[in-house]
Amino acid sequence: IVIDLSGWSPKYFTPEFKKEIRSRLKDRVMFGTDYPMMGFDNLFAAWEKEDYPPEIMERIYYKNAIKILNLDIAEEEFSKVE
């Protein structure tokens, strides 16, 4: 089971779901947007307000997608994108 959170601001997640993202779901959650309906800046800011540890945020933002989608890209190359 994988969760793509396109278009969902984490401020609307239940406390139980937020807790699971830190533990059982940390390898199964992927960041997404409903661009152009929701801008990247707004969603990144909303995620940063949730105060997840950096290693969880890296998984949500890109590491889980690389693994789940079996992308042929080095994590070092992807993390250079800003």
Side-chain angles (χ1 to χ4, degrees), residues 14-63:
T14 65
E16 296 83 8
F17 184 53
K18 290 178 182 183
K19 180 181 175 186
E20 294 301 328
I21 288 173
R22 293 178 183 273
S23 59
R24 289 192 309 158
L25 298 177
K26 67 184 176 204
D27 295 321
R28 302 194 177 277
V29 174
M30 293 189 295
F31 176 82
T33 70
D34 275 351
Y35 184 83
M37 301 306 288
M38 296 182 82
F40 294 109
D41 294 339
N42 292 339
L43 280 175
F44 282 129
W47 275 99
E48 297 301 325
K49 284 182 185 176
E50 294 298 322
D51 202 30
Y52 287 103
E55 53 275 2
I56 298 291
M57 295 309 301
E58 288 175 350
R59 290 174 190 226
I60 291 169
Y61 285 154
Y62 68 95
K63 286 185 177 182

Side-chain angles (χ1 to χ4, degrees), residues 2 27 30 62-75:
V2 177
D27 295 321
M30 293 189 295
Y62 68 95
K63 286 185 177 182
N64 288 344
I66 291 170
K67 181 180 172 188
I68 292 165
L69 301 173
N70 197 27
L71 300 176
D72 187 20
I73 184 171
E75 288 181 17

